[in-house]
C-alpha cells in the first residue's frame, strides 16, 4: 500500500496565482520561505522557485497533479468581475470551487484559504462599518456577487475537523496597487474619454480601498493561524486598510497624481443609477446585434455613490491583523507604479 507523504506546512498552492492578487501573494510567500505551486489557466510571469501548472480549476485531474504534497491551498481565481457571462461565473466560481474542495480532500490538503469579497453582503445600499455577521445579499447586484456568495458558503461548509480539512474565507474590499488591471486602468480610460468630470451624489460617501500587500498579509496570517482549535475554522474575515475614505477623494487623488483633473460637477445619484439601469437593459436587448460595454454600469454607479466600508475588528482580534501599509503610502506607491498611464504618456 502506498504511504502518503505528510505535506510540509510550507508547501502551498495558489489557484489564480497568475492574477493581480495571486501574483502579489506568490511573491510574498516565496519571501517567507514557502515552496509555491501556481495553478492558473495562464502563466503571466516566471519566478525562481515557483512551479506553474496550467489548467482549468474545473478539471479535477489537472488540480490533483498540482496539489501533490501541498498542505495549504489559496484559492484566488475568478472570472473578471466586469464580465456579464452568467454561465462562466457559475462554472468557475461555483462548480469549479466544488471541484477545488474535492481535489483538496483527495490530495490530503490540510487548509484552504478562499479569497471571497466583502461584496457578498452588498446590495447597492449603504453599509457603514459592516461586520461579518451581516446577512449575505438577498438580491446580489450582479452574477459575480451572486456566485461569490455561493462560493464562500461552499468553502466554509466544507470545513471539517474530523477530516483534518480546515477552511477560512478572506473578504477584501476594493483591492488596489501595482499591476491591478481594473481600478486604475478603468479610471484612467474613463478620464481619457472625458467621462470623469462628474461626482455621483454629494461626494461624502465613505468606502474601503485596500492596498494589495495588506490583503496578502491578511491571507498569510489566516493560513498560519488556521488550526483545529482556533476560532478561524469556517469563518469569514474582512481585510481592509482600516481607513475608510471618501470614494471621490480617493478617485481624485489617483487622477490628480497621474496628471488628470479631479471630477467637480455633481450629478444626483438616483438619476445616474436610473440611467445606468436603462443603458444596461438596452445593451441586453441589442446584444445579438451589437456588443456595447458601458462605463457606468449599475454596479459601478452603486459602488461610487453609496457608503460601503467594513469593520476588520474580527481580523484584528483573531489574526492579530494590522494593515502594514497606510492608505497615503499605498496611493503614492500605486500612482508611481503606472508611469505609462500618466496624462500625455
Ligand atoms: N480586485 C478586487 O478589488 C477584489 C476585491 C475583493 C475580492 N477579490 C477577489 O480576489 C480574487 C483575485 O482577484 P484579482 O483582482 O487578482 O483577479 P485577476 O483577474 O487578476 O486574477 C484572477 C486569476 O484567476 C485565473 N482564473 C480565472 N478562471 C480560472 C479557471 N477557470 N481556472 C484557473 N484559473 C482561473 C485568471 O487567469 C487570473 O490569473 C478573486 O477571487 C476576486 O473575486 C478581488
Ligand atoms: C467609472 C467610475 C464611476 C468608477 C471607476 C472605478 C471603478 C472601475 C472601481 C471603483 C470601485 C471598484 C470596485 C470593484 C471593481 C472596480 C471598481 C468598480 C470591485 C467590484 C471588484 C470586485 C471586488 O470583489 C469588489 C469588492 O468587494 O472589493 C470591488 C469593489 C470595488
Amino acid at each position: 500500500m502506498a504511504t502518503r507523504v505528510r505535506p510540509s506546512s510550507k508547501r502551498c498552492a495558489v489557484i489564480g496565482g497568475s492574477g493581480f492578487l495571486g501574483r502579489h501573494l506568490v511573491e510574498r510567500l516565496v519571501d517567507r520561505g514557502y515552496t509555491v505551486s501556481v495553478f492558473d489557466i495562464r502563466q503571466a510571469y516566471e519566478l525562481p522557485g515557483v512551479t506553474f501548472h496550467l489548467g482549468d480549476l474545473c478539471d479535477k485531474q489537472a488540480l490533483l497533479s498540482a496539489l501533490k504534497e501541498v498542505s495549504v491551498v489559496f484559492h484566488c481565481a475568478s472570472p473578471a468581475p466586469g464580465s456579464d457571462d452568467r454561465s462562466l461565473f457559475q462554472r468557475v466560481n461555483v462548480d469549479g470551487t466544488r471541484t477545488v474542495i474535492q481535489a483538496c480532500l483527495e490530495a490530503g490538503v490540510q487548509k484552504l484559504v478562499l479569497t471571497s469579497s466583502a461584496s457578498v453582503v452588498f446590495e447597492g445600499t449603504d453599509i457603514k462599518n459592516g461586520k461579518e455577521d451581516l446577512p449575505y445579499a438577498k438580491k446580489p447586484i450582479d452574477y459575480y456577487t451572486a456566485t461569490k456568495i455561493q462560493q464562500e458558503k461552499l468553502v466554509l461548509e466544507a470545513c471539517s475537523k474530523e477530516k483534518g480539512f480546515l477552511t477560512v474565507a478572506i473578504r477584501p474590499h476594493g483591492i488596489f496597487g501595482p499591476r491591478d488591471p481594473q481600478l486604475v486602468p478603468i479610471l484612467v480610460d474613463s478620464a481619457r474619454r472625458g467621462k470623469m468630470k462628474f461626482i455621483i451624489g454629494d461626494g461624502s460617501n465613505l468606502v474601503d480601498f485596500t492596498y494589495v500587500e495588506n490583503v496578502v498579509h491578511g491571507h498569510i496570517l489566516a493560513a498560519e493561524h488556521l488550526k483545529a482549535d482556533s476560532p478561524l475554522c469556517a469563518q469569514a474575515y474582512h481585510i481592509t486598510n482600516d481607513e475608510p475614505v471618501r470614494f471621490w477623494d480617493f478617485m481624485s487623488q489617483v487622477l490628480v497624481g497621474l496628471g488628470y483633473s479631479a471630477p467637480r460637477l455633481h450629478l444626483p445619484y438616483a438619476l445616474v443609477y436610473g440611467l445606468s439601469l436603462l443603458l444596461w437593459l438596452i445593451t441586453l436587448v441589442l446584444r445579438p446585434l451589437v456588443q456595447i460595454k458601458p462605463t457606468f454600469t449599475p454596479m459601478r454607479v452603486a459602488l461610487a455613490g453609496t457608503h460601503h466600508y467594513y469593520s476588520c475588528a474580527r481580523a484584528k482580534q483573531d489574526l492579530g491583523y494590522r494593515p502594514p501599509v497606510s492608505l497615503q503610502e499605498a496611493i503614492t506607491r500605486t500612482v508611481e507604479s503606472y508611469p505609462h498611464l500618466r496624462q500625455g504618456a
Side-chain angles (χ1 to χ4, degrees):
M1 199 177 82
T3 46
R4 192 190 269 161
V5 182
R6 188 176 160 73
S8 147
S9 63
K10 285 240 155 180
R11 188 176 284 273
C12 65
V14 180
I15 303 176
S18 281
F20 163 51
L21 172 65
R23 180 172 173 183
H24 280 277
L25 178 59
V26 170
E27 290 169 346
R28 186 78 191 106
L29 286 165
V30 169
D31 285 349
R32 285 180 64 84
Y34 283 82
T35 304
V36 186
S37 296
V38 167
F39 185 90
D40 203 300
I41 40 175
R42 64 192 175 107
Q43 177 168 359
Y45 58 97
E46 283 182 16
L47 196 63
V50 175
T51 319
F52 281 83
H53 299 261
L54 292 189
D56 189 318
L57 60 82
C58 303
D59 175 352
K60 193 171 76 180
Q61 289 313 319
L63 275 171
L64 280 172
S65 67
L67 300 187
K68 274 192 199 120
E69 292 173 31
V70 159
S71 85
V72 185
V73 169
F74 296 91
H75 174 8
C76 53
S78 168
S83 161
D84 50 10
D85 187 339
R86 185 182 201 160
S87 62
L88 178 69
F89 282 121
Q90 173 67 32
R91 191 179 74 78
V92 176
N93 284 353
V94 183
D95 306 336
T97 297
R98 256 191 218 106
T99 308
V100 168
I101 293 168
Q102 198 52 45
C104 286
L105 287 167
E106 286 181 29
V109 168
Q110 292 150 18
K111 304 181 190 183
L112 173 60
V113 180
L114 171 72
T115 314
S116 180
S117 165
S119 290
V120 294
V121 298
F122 184 64
E123 285 188 325
T125 51
D126 290 342
I127 294 183
K128 298 179 181 177
N129 206 33
K131 307 213 171 35
E132 288 85 348
D133 56 6
L134 282 175
Y136 287 116
K138 285 186 193 65
K139 290 185 196 150
I141 199 156
D142 56 12
Y143 304 137
Y144 167 79
T145 314
T147 56
K148 290 297 283 184
I149 294 174
Q150 292 185 62
Q151 177 190 55
E152 187 184 281
K153 286 183 182 170
L154 284 171
V155 167
L156 297 184
E157 282 164 9
C159 188
S160 165
K161 291 179 190 171
E162 296 71 38
K163 291 182 185 157
F165 180 57
L166 307 179
T167 65
V168 63
I170 297 300
R171 291 180 179 174
H173 195 47
I175 311 176
F176 73 102
R179 302 192 297 251
D180 169 29
Q182 274 199 110
L183 201 154
V184 176
I186 294 174
L187 188 61
V188 166
D189 180 60
S190 309
R192 285 181 173 167
R193 291 191 288 126
K195 293 185 173 181
M196 288 311 294
K197 295 190 168 57
F198 302 102
I199 292 173
I200 301 171
D202 68 6
S204 67
N205 54 309
L206 291 175
V207 168
D208 280 319
F209 286 104
T210 312
Y211 191 54
V212 63
E213 286 183 25
N214 297 343
V215 177
V216 163
H217 181 55
H219 279 70
I220 296 176
L221 282 177
E224 292 179 353
H225 283 73
L226 182 56
K227 308 221 164 70
D229 58 355
S230 71
L232 278 74
C233 300
Q235 284 289 358
Y237 288 89
H238 291 152
I239 291 293
T240 72
N241 245 78
D242 205 20
E243 288 177 86
V245 56
R246 287 175 173 227
F247 181 95
W248 293 98
D249 286 355
F250 178 86
M251 293 296 152
S252 298
Q253 272 205 54
V254 175
L255 284 172
V256 170
L258 289 168
Y260 302 89
S261 306
R264 297 212 178 281
L265 307 168
H266 288 264
L267 287 176
Y269 174 72
L271 173 75
V272 184
Y273 191 72
L275 286 174
S276 71
L277 271 181
L278 186 65
L279 189 60
W280 180 71
L281 285 174
I282 294 172
T283 59
L284 273 189
V285 174
L286 293 181
R287 189 174 296 163
L289 303 171
V290 57
Q291 293 271 356
I292 309 171
K293 280 250 162 210
T295 305
F296 293 91
T297 61
M299 173 62 154
R300 286 183 193 164
V301 173
L303 287 164
T306 58
H307 293 272
H308 41 100
Y309 61 96
Y310 299 84
S311 160
C312 57
R314 183 186 279 180
K316 286 181 179 169
Q317 182 179 306
D318 293 353
L319 310 178
Y321 171 75
R322 299 284 180 280
V325 184
S326 73
L327 193 63
Q328 276 318 307
E329 173 63 18
I331 295 174
T332 305
R333 288 192 203 175
T334 303
V335 166
E336 282 173 0
S337 74
Y338 287 100
H340 54 291
L341 294 186
R342 296 193 76 81
Q343 163 82 301

